[in-house]
Amino acid sequence: MATSLTSSLSSTFSTLSLRRHSLPLHHHHPTSFSLPKPLTFQSIKTHAADIDTTFFDTVDPDEITTFDPPEKPEGFVAPPSFDEGPQETEEQIARAYEELYGPAYSGESVLGNDVYVMDSKVKKTSSFGKVKKDKIRDGFEERVVQVRRVTKVVKGGKQLHFRAVVVVGDKKGQVGVGVGKAKEVVAAVQKSATNARRNIITVPMTKYLTFPHRSDGDYGAAKVMLRPASPGTGVIAGGAVRIVLEMAGVENALGKQLGSNNALNNARATVVAVQQMRQFSEVARERGIPMEELWK
C-alpha cells in the first residue's frame, strides 16, 4: 500500500511540473511586456527609400512664386468687419462682464458704473499681513507734534501704549489739533489725525496772511500770546505754536509760550487764542456801522 501511495504522489508532482513548464510566460508575469526593436541605420534608410519624393524634382528653390488666389464664386458676399457693427451700450458691457466674472464685476449694484474700479477696492497688505490703510486725500496735511510712551498700571502689571499729538491743516485757514493712543506708533498717529479732523477751526487772517489783532489764550497751565506782524517777518514762534500757525497758513506772526512747556496744552492754547480773534468786517457788521468808522 505504501508503494502505491508513493507512486501516486510522484506521478502527481511530475504532472504539476509539466503543467508549470508548459504554461506561457505571460501567465506567470501578467505585467511583463516586450521591448520594441532598436532602430538601426539600415531600417531608417529602408523607410526613407519608401517615401515618394518625385514631386520635388521639378521645383526650383530659388524661384520666386506669386500667390494666385482662386476666383470668387457668383453671389459671394464678404462678411462684415468687426468694427462696422453697432457700438455696445454700457449695460451690454456690464452684462457681459457679469457673465464672465460674476456679479461683483458688473458695476451695477456694488461698484457703480466703472467696471475697472475693482482694482482700487483690493485691500493692500503690508509685509506682516496687516491691512495697510491708504492716506486720506482731503486736502489736509498732517504734522506730528509729539509721540510719547505712556503706561497704565493695572492689576496684572503695566500696559504700554503710545500717545501721539498731530496737527492737520490745509494752509488756507483751516487747522485742527488731535490726540490719540494705541499700542503702536502708526495706529496712534492715525487715531490722532482722525481726531484732529473732527476739531477743525477757521483762522481769521488778513490779506498779508497775519492776524487781524492781538490775542491771548490759555489751556490748563499753558498760556500763549499771539501778535500780528508786518509782511516779510515770517512766523516767529517755537514748539507746538509754530506748527499750528504754519499748518493754518499764517506766514507773518509772533508767538510766545508763557507757562507750561506741555506740547499738547500749548497747541490747544493756540487754538483757544485763535478762536477769540474776529475779522474787522464781522465786528462792523455786529455794530451796524461801516468798516471805515472802526478806526475813528
Side-chain angles (χ1 to χ4, degrees), residues 19 84 86 195 205 272:
R19 288 182 179 178
E84 292 179 359
N195 181 252
M205 290 186 293
V272 171

Side-chain angles (χ1 to χ4, degrees), residues 26-45:
H26 65 272
H27 281 235
H28 295 283
H29 302 282
T31 59
S32 62
F33 60 92
S34 59
L35 294 173
K37 295 181 179 180
L39 293 175
T40 61
F41 178 76
Q42 188 67 24
S43 62
I44 296 174
K45 187 177 180 181

Side-chain angles (χ1 to χ4, degrees), residues 163-183:
R163 188 198 70 173
V165 180
V166 175
V167 177
V168 300
D170 60 354
K171 296 186 177 181
K172 297 179 182 178
Q174 302 285 329
V175 70
V177 179
V179 61
K181 294 180 183 178
K183 293 184 178 180

Side-chain angles (χ1 to χ4, degrees), residues 127-233:
S127 57
F128 297 100
K130 297 182 180 179
V131 176
K132 184 179 179 181
K133 296 183 179 179
D134 294 335
K135 287 187 177 182
I136 303 174
R137 298 181 180 179
D138 54 358
F140 287 94
E141 297 181 13
E142 301 176 5
R143 183 85 67 85
V144 179
V145 178
Q146 186 186 66
V147 176
R148 273 191 173 180
R149 187 179 64 182
V150 295
T151 56
K152 178 182 178 181
V153 181
V154 295
K155 183 178 180 180
K158 294 182 179 180
Q159 290 182 352
L160 179 65
H161 290 80
F162 292 94
R163 188 198 70 173
V165 180
V166 175
V167 177
V168 300
D170 60 354
K171 296 186 177 181
K172 297 179 182 178
Q174 302 285 329
V175 70
V177 179
V179 61
K181 294 180 183 178
K183 293 184 178 180
E184 296 181 1
V185 177
V186 177
V189 171
Q190 290 177 353
K191 281 186 178 181
S192 56
T194 304
N195 181 252
R197 283 179 169 83
R198 296 173 182 171
N199 302 305
I200 296 293
I201 65 167
T202 303
V203 180
M205 290 186 293
T206 64
K207 63 180 180 180
Y208 300 110
L209 299 178
T210 185
F211 300 125
H213 57 84
R214 298 184 176 188
S215 180
D216 297 332
D218 58 341
Y219 190 92
K223 296 181 180 180
V224 172
M225 176 183 67
L226 298 179
R227 299 289 185 267
S230 58
T233 305

Side-chain angles (χ1 to χ4, degrees), residues 1-190:
M1 183 175 180
T3 306
S4 62
L5 180 61
T6 304
S7 62
S8 63
L9 286 173
S10 61
S11 62
T12 303
F13 279 117
S14 62
T15 306
L16 288 175
S17 61
L18 289 173
R19 288 182 179 178
R20 176 186 173 190
H21 290 292
S22 62
L23 287 174
L25 182 62
H26 65 272
H27 281 235
H28 295 283
H29 302 282
T31 59
S32 62
F33 60 92
S34 59
L35 294 173
K37 295 181 179 180
L39 293 175
T40 61
F41 178 76
Q42 188 67 24
S43 62
I44 296 174
K45 187 177 180 181
T46 305
H47 180 70
D50 298 337
I51 300 175
D52 185 15
T53 58
T54 56
F55 172 77
F56 298 99
D57 295 341
T58 59
V59 176
D60 185 7
D62 298 330
E63 183 183 359
I64 299 175
T65 58
T66 57
F67 176 69
D68 187 13
E71 296 182 359
K72 298 180 181 179
E74 296 181 0
F76 174 78
V77 179
S81 176
F82 177 78
D83 299 328
E84 292 179 359
Q87 295 291 334
E88 295 180 339
T89 62
E90 293 184 0
E91 295 181 358
Q92 293 176 342
I93 295 173
R95 199 176 302 111
Y97 267 84
E98 186 174 358
E99 292 177 0
L100 291 174
Y101 305 109
Y105 283 83
S106 64
E108 293 186 1
S109 59
V110 182
L111 307 176
N113 294 327
D114 189 3
V115 293
Y116 301 103
V117 77
M118 175 61 74
D119 298 336
S120 62
K121 298 295 181 182
V122 178
K123 292 184 177 180
K124 299 179 180 179
T125 57
S126 62
S127 57
F128 297 100
K130 297 182 180 179
V131 176
K132 184 179 179 181
K133 296 183 179 179
D134 294 335
K135 287 187 177 182
I136 303 174
R137 298 181 180 179
D138 54 358
F140 287 94
E141 297 181 13
E142 301 176 5
R143 183 85 67 85
V144 179
V145 178
Q146 186 186 66
V147 176
R148 273 191 173 180
R149 187 179 64 182
V150 295
T151 56
K152 178 182 178 181
V153 181
V154 295
K155 183 178 180 180
K158 294 182 179 180
Q159 290 182 352
L160 179 65
H161 290 80
F162 292 94
R163 188 198 70 173
V165 180
V166 175
V167 177
V168 300
D170 60 354
K171 296 186 177 181
K172 297 179 182 178
Q174 302 285 329
V175 70
V177 179
V179 61
K181 294 180 183 178
K183 293 184 178 180
E184 296 181 1
V185 177
V186 177
V189 171
Q190 290 177 353

